[in-house]
Amino acid sequence: MNTLFLSAQNTEGSAVHGVVTTSIGEPLAFATVVAKNTKFATLTNENGEYDMELPYGAHVFTVSYIGFSSTSHSVETSPDHKSVKLDFILKEDTENLEEVTVSGKSKATAIETEGFAVNVIETKEASQRNIQTNELLNTTVGVKIRQNGGLGSQVQYSLNGLTGNAVRIFIDGIPISVYGSSFSLNSLPPSMIKRIEVYKGVVPGYLADDALGGAINIVLQESARNYLNASVSYGSFNTFQASANGLYRFKESGFTVKGSLFHNYSDNDYEVSGRSVVVAGLGGKQTPITARRFNDAYRSTGGTAQIGFTDVDWADQFLVGVTASDDYKEIQHGTFMTMTPYKGRFMESDALLGNLTYQKTDFLIDGLDLNVHGLYGKRNRAVNDTVAWAYSWNGERAIDYKGDEYKYSWGSQQDGGPTLAKIKRNVSSIRTGLSYTINDHHKVLFNHAYSGIDREDSDALKSVKENTFKGTRDLHKNILSATYELNTLQGKLRASLFGKYYQQKTVNTDPFINPETNQVEDEVTTAKVNEQGYGFAASYEIVPNVTLMTSAEKAVRLPNETEVFGNDGDNVVANPSIRAEQSNNYNLGFRFGNFNIQKHDFAISTNFFARNIKDRIGLPIETSLNVNDETILYENQGDGTSKGIEAQLHYTYNKNLGINFNITRFDLTIKNQGVEIDVPNTPFFTMNAGAHYTIANLFQKSSLLNLFYSVYYTDEFSYLVPQGSNTVGDEFFKVPDQVVQDFGLSYTFPNNNFVLSFDVKNIFDKPVFDNLSVQKPGRAFYLKLNYIINNF
């Protein structure tokens, strides 16, 4: 909170707090709140909240904001009222508005005009609806979420054509991979999130990691105010989700208790059809059917708990805590939907991690800020596959051409034999950030990130000898970055120059019997990678609210644990010889706005991008010969390029009608056997649009009804490499263009504590495919209840 005037505080006093909103309930950030005839005043924060401590007595509060009529209220503070809640509603002052009003920058706008190709997603509205965090990301320009089915299925994130592990996901700057698969964006409710930052191509130094194609940073709620948010939802496919998060701070000592919980469950028994969804009969006759998935249930439970101190003299935050999660996922098929789905194959995972956070501005000296976040704990994952019977898509045992039920000769659903494979990991991560503000124009930052994984594989169905001679796999990574930031020409020119150093070490330990001593010994093989990267970002405000932005980076992406060592649960086999991936990334864009013209508010932004990739890591180039493979192998596909443009429009009328539209078009090519081809299984053209409309005082005074509509377009794409003039059979492997529409509404009751929402996904029940011929859910309905308590 920004204090405008300071004076000696009376030890006998009360706290006055509240929220400043518009007549339709939108919070007003940076509104001025003044206690008349005193020296006390403050600004509201990004959520329109304010908080002041005043001596006992009668006070008159006045609130003002540009473009709105000021308003005043009286309040009496006394020993019987230690905490007083006083909310304000400001009405728009249409008479005194000029033709064009340029407002100050919000936190989101400030980030988006730093020079990076970045979008900031605010989650306040989404947190009250039945929207997954991944769905929220999928509406963002340049972002394509590719999900292998329903809730809990494997997800890949594509930014401007670069996908998979080239895109890093962070939670408050910590790689989400540290938490394990049981703690994912699928299970993280938007109510826990303050905002989402999506960096494309060029990643700032403080997110020290090998993010080749970009980064998605989830910034969690960090308010020092007491709050509680709880929600529960139920919908199609027996999908149940519940979450709660809250914080309580003792004002006198600063002692803080903070926690969150979530639980998700879905049968994922939605209908599927297509070339692989058949039932085989006598003589091998295949009959296409529409079937429900029957071995695809998902359950995840988890939470965090932290205690410590906030907003005290020696720390802005000092918190220690624990993060725990557990999930269960049935596996319906391998990488592709094949004619014989799985039944009885499933995987389980859990994680238990201790964490420590310390943040302090003006650490030791003015202008020096310190940020430390550490994690250490265990992650386990198990795959169970012991059923030998073959099954059809009707859920019954499959029959051969004679009509007899049959078993797989290898004794399991996936070829390779029955398994009770387990992967045990000790994981650690520590990230340290140090920044020094020299003056208003110059700032330097230093960041270091270490992550380590000690992994041990075993399988209870293998012999004692095989388990004894099973090796361990360790991976240790260090990334250092140094950044210089410039802010000059009265804030018109902003620049960031950074360098990064990447170091990774893998250790393979394989036991063997020494023939000379007849003793078990370890053969240790190590491999080291050392790379450097560098880049810059700059923005220049040509005229007020018209900004030119450009950025570039030589980016490096080191192979991760799954790509090097494999993972049975995700049907990935090991590739120890895979090489690091590199890319020269470039962005050039403009931002126009935000502009206010009477009741109209709009912003337009665009970005041209290019990525020159060396040793691109991805799945094998697909042909008709491997399209039914159950396992996958990550490999260096070769050198490639991605070039394209993205643009978006935000428009608001009278602060109750909002329209968003964005478009992304790019070309992604790669050299395959000396020939440049379009990368298969990639949609090159996407469009998203959305609208929301707010109706105030419907049924009840001070209530709000919000209506939402979204539409997503994905252009046609093929699984196969272009076949030249011989196109016979190509249609079999093409996914036609897709248009998916969603509708939702939310009703906020007058006290703003209770929100009821209803959502319809895929209104017209269109068949939807994101990745590898796996059909996603059709039409679905969800109801959600959300309860919020602030400032108790």
mmCIF file of all heavy atoms in Angstrom, residues 35-54:
data_model
loop_
_atom_site.group_PDB
_atom_site.id
_atom_site.type_symbol
_atom_site.label_atom_id
_atom_site.label_comp_id
_atom_site.label_asym_id
_atom_site.label_seq_id
_atom_site.Cartn_x
_atom_site.Cartn_y
_atom_site.Cartn_z
ATOM 1 N N ALA A 35 -8.571 10.875 4.813
ATOM 2 C CA ALA A 35 -9.305 11.172 6.037
ATOM 3 C C ALA A 35 -9.189 12.677 6.264
ATOM 4 O O ALA A 35 -8.108 13.198 6.575
ATOM 5 C CB ALA A 35 -8.731 10.393 7.210
ATOM 6 N N LYS A 36 -10.294 13.385 6.067
ATOM 7 C CA LYS A 36 -10.271 14.858 6.089
ATOM 8 C C LYS A 36 -9.844 15.378 7.459
ATOM 9 O O LYS A 36 -10.116 14.781 8.498
ATOM 10 C CB LYS A 36 -11.650 15.401 5.716
ATOM 11 C CG LYS A 36 -12.052 15.086 4.271
ATOM 12 C CD LYS A 36 -13.402 15.674 3.929
ATOM 13 C CE LYS A 36 -13.348 17.196 3.862
ATOM 14 N NZ LYS A 36 -14.632 17.772 3.396
ATOM 15 N N ASN A 37 -9.162 16.516 7.397
ATOM 16 C CA ASN A 37 -8.676 17.214 8.600
ATOM 17 C C ASN A 37 -7.661 16.378 9.387
ATOM 18 O O ASN A 37 -7.496 16.557 10.593
ATOM 19 C CB ASN A 37 -9.854 17.601 9.514
ATOM 20 C CG ASN A 37 -10.840 18.516 8.814
ATOM 21 O OD1 ASN A 37 -10.444 19.420 8.070
ATOM 22 N ND2 ASN A 37 -12.132 18.275 9.037
ATOM 23 N N THR A 38 -7.023 15.429 8.701
ATOM 24 C CA THR A 38 -5.911 14.671 9.298
ATOM 25 C C THR A 38 -4.791 14.632 8.273
ATOM 26 O O THR A 38 -4.933 15.135 7.159
ATOM 27 C CB THR A 38 -6.317 13.224 9.655
ATOM 28 O OG1 THR A 38 -6.429 12.460 8.447
ATOM 29 C CG2 THR A 38 -7.629 13.173 10.408
ATOM 30 N N LYS A 39 -3.689 14.007 8.650
ATOM 31 C CA LYS A 39 -2.566 13.838 7.727
ATOM 32 C C LYS A 39 -2.537 12.424 7.139
ATOM 33 O O LYS A 39 -1.522 11.983 6.623
ATOM 34 C CB LYS A 39 -1.242 14.126 8.447
ATOM 35 C CG LYS A 39 -1.098 15.575 8.898
ATOM 36 C CD LYS A 39 0.245 15.809 9.561
ATOM 37 C CE LYS A 39 0.390 17.270 10.003
ATOM 38 N NZ LYS A 39 1.690 17.527 10.649
ATOM 39 N N PHE A 40 -3.680 11.729 7.235
ATOM 40 C CA PHE A 40 -3.714 10.347 6.788
ATOM 41 C C PHE A 40 -4.391 10.238 5.430
ATOM 42 O O PHE A 40 -5.490 10.769 5.225
ATOM 43 C CB PHE A 40 -4.449 9.469 7.798
ATOM 44 C CG PHE A 40 -3.779 9.421 9.142
ATOM 45 C CD1 PHE A 40 -4.205 10.244 10.172
ATOM 46 C CD2 PHE A 40 -2.717 8.566 9.373
ATOM 47 C CE1 PHE A 40 -3.593 10.201 11.409
ATOM 48 C CE2 PHE A 40 -2.102 8.522 10.604
ATOM 49 C CZ PHE A 40 -2.533 9.343 11.624
ATOM 50 N N ALA A 41 -3.731 9.537 4.503
ATOM 51 C CA ALA A 41 -4.291 9.279 3.182
ATOM 52 C C ALA A 41 -3.546 8.102 2.577
ATOM 53 O O ALA A 41 -2.436 7.762 3.004
ATOM 54 C CB ALA A 41 -4.166 10.506 2.282
ATOM 55 N N THR A 42 -4.157 7.475 1.597
ATOM 56 C CA THR A 42 -3.522 6.319 0.969
ATOM 57 C C THR A 42 -4.098 6.127 -0.426
ATOM 58 O O THR A 42 -5.053 6.811 -0.830
ATOM 59 C CB THR A 42 -3.716 5.050 1.823
ATOM 60 O OG1 THR A 42 -2.905 4.005 1.302
ATOM 61 C CG2 THR A 42 -5.172 4.597 1.819
ATOM 62 N N LEU A 43 -3.517 5.185 -1.180
ATOM 63 C CA LEU A 43 -4.024 4.775 -2.484
ATOM 64 C C LEU A 43 -4.536 3.349 -2.393
ATOM 65 O O LEU A 43 -3.983 2.521 -1.662
ATOM 66 C CB LEU A 43 -2.927 4.844 -3.550
ATOM 67 C CG LEU A 43 -2.320 6.207 -3.866
ATOM 68 C CD1 LEU A 43 -1.202 6.051 -4.892
ATOM 69 C CD2 LEU A 43 -3.371 7.170 -4.371
ATOM 70 N N THR A 44 -5.595 3.058 -3.127
ATOM 71 C CA THR A 44 -6.058 1.672 -3.192
ATOM 72 C C THR A 44 -5.063 0.835 -3.987
ATOM 73 O O THR A 44 -4.328 1.344 -4.840
ATOM 74 C CB THR A 44 -7.435 1.586 -3.864
ATOM 75 O OG1 THR A 44 -7.344 2.148 -5.181
ATOM 76 C CG2 THR A 44 -8.486 2.333 -3.061
ATOM 77 N N ASN A 45 -5.045 -0.471 -3.700
ATOM 78 C CA ASN A 45 -4.151 -1.361 -4.430
ATOM 79 C C ASN A 45 -4.807 -1.825 -5.729
ATOM 80 O O ASN A 45 -5.856 -1.296 -6.121
ATOM 81 C CB ASN A 45 -3.724 -2.545 -3.551
ATOM 82 C CG ASN A 45 -4.890 -3.449 -3.190
ATOM 83 O OD1 ASN A 45 -5.992 -3.351 -3.748
ATOM 84 N ND2 ASN A 45 -4.665 -4.345 -2.245
ATOM 85 N N GLU A 46 -4.212 -2.827 -6.380
ATOM 86 C CA GLU A 46 -4.708 -3.275 -7.684
ATOM 87 C C GLU A 46 -6.106 -3.860 -7.602
ATOM 88 O O GLU A 46 -6.826 -3.931 -8.598
ATOM 89 C CB GLU A 46 -3.749 -4.316 -8.278
ATOM 90 C CG GLU A 46 -2.378 -3.737 -8.586
ATOM 91 C CD GLU A 46 -1.379 -4.818 -8.945
ATOM 92 O OE1 GLU A 46 -1.797 -5.979 -9.044
ATOM 93 O OE2 GLU A 46 -0.198 -4.496 -9.120
ATOM 94 N N ASN A 47 -6.548 -4.302 -6.407
ATOM 95 C CA ASN A 47 -7.875 -4.866 -6.223
ATOM 96 C C ASN A 47 -8.864 -3.842 -5.664
ATOM 97 O O ASN A 47 -9.955 -4.203 -5.235
ATOM 98 C CB ASN A 47 -7.810 -6.078 -5.288
ATOM 99 C CG ASN A 47 -6.945 -7.173 -5.851
ATOM 100 O OD1 ASN A 47 -7.016 -7.475 -7.039
ATOM 101 N ND2 ASN A 47 -6.119 -7.776 -5.015
ATOM 102 N N GLY A 48 -8.444 -2.564 -5.649
ATOM 103 C CA GLY A 48 -9.315 -1.517 -5.140
ATOM 104 C C GLY A 48 -9.403 -1.455 -3.631
ATOM 105 O O GLY A 48 -10.276 -0.771 -3.079
ATOM 106 N N GLU A 49 -8.490 -2.121 -2.926
ATOM 107 C CA GLU A 49 -8.548 -2.210 -1.469
ATOM 108 C C GLU A 49 -7.667 -1.137 -0.828
ATOM 109 O O GLU A 49 -6.632 -0.759 -1.373
ATOM 110 C CB GLU A 49 -8.065 -3.596 -1.015
ATOM 111 C CG GLU A 49 -8.889 -4.739 -1.574
ATOM 112 C CD GLU A 49 -8.225 -6.088 -1.380
ATOM 113 O OE1 GLU A 49 -6.970 -6.119 -1.290
ATOM 114 O OE2 GLU A 49 -8.924 -7.103 -1.316
ATOM 115 N N TYR A 50 -8.096 -0.666 0.365
ATOM 116 C CA TYR A 50 -7.288 0.276 1.120
ATOM 117 C C TYR A 50 -7.327 -0.116 2.595
ATOM 118 O O TYR A 50 -8.181 -0.884 3.040
ATOM 119 C CB TYR A 50 -7.795 1.711 0.942
ATOM 120 C CG TYR A 50 -9.084 1.998 1.697
ATOM 121 C CD1 TYR A 50 -9.056 2.544 2.980
ATOM 122 C CD2 TYR A 50 -10.323 1.702 1.129
ATOM 123 C CE1 TYR A 50 -10.228 2.793 3.686
ATOM 124 C CE2 TYR A 50 -11.495 1.939 1.824
ATOM 125 C CZ TYR A 50 -11.446 2.483 3.098
ATOM 126 O OH TYR A 50 -12.602 2.712 3.797
ATOM 127 N N ASP A 51 -6.397 0.438 3.370
ATOM 128 C CA ASP A 51 -6.309 0.109 4.790
ATOM 129 C C ASP A 51 -5.568 1.255 5.483
ATOM 130 O O ASP A 51 -4.476 1.635 5.066
ATOM 131 C CB ASP A 51 -5.570 -1.213 4.980
ATOM 132 C CG ASP A 51 -5.648 -1.722 6.409
ATOM 133 O OD1 ASP A 51 -6.268 -1.046 7.251
ATOM 134 O OD2 ASP A 51 -5.086 -2.802 6.673
ATOM 135 N N MET A 52 -6.168 1.835 6.533
ATOM 136 C CA MET A 52 -5.528 2.903 7.306
ATOM 137 C C MET A 52 -5.820 2.694 8.789
ATOM 138 O O MET A 52 -6.883 2.188 9.153
ATOM 139 C CB MET A 52 -6.046 4.283 6.885
ATOM 140 C CG MET A 52 -5.437 4.827 5.614
ATOM 141 S SD MET A 52 -5.777 6.603 5.398
ATOM 142 C CE MET A 52 -7.531 6.571 5.112
ATOM 143 N N GLU A 53 -4.882 3.098 9.630
ATOM 144 C CA GLU A 53 -5.068 3.052 11.074
ATOM 145 C C GLU A 53 -5.166 4.484 11.587
ATOM 146 O O GLU A 53 -4.278 5.313 11.370
ATOM 147 C CB GLU A 53 -3.904 2.321 11.746
ATOM 148 C CG GLU A 53 -4.159 2.042 13.214
ATOM 149 C CD GLU A 53 -3.136 1.080 13.798
ATOM 150 O OE1 GLU A 53 -2.480 0.363 13.013
ATOM 151 O OE2 GLU A 53 -3.013 1.043 15.030
ATOM 152 N N LEU A 54 -6.289 4.784 12.284
ATOM 153 C CA LEU A 54 -6.600 6.149 12.703
ATOM 154 C C LEU A 54 -6.884 6.208 14.200
ATOM 155 O O LEU A 54 -7.313 5.215 14.799
ATOM 156 C CB LEU A 54 -7.829 6.666 11.942
ATOM 157 C CG LEU A 54 -7.674 6.841 10.432
ATOM 158 C CD1 LEU A 54 -9.021 7.162 9.816
ATOM 159 C CD2 LEU A 54 -6.677 7.930 10.109
#
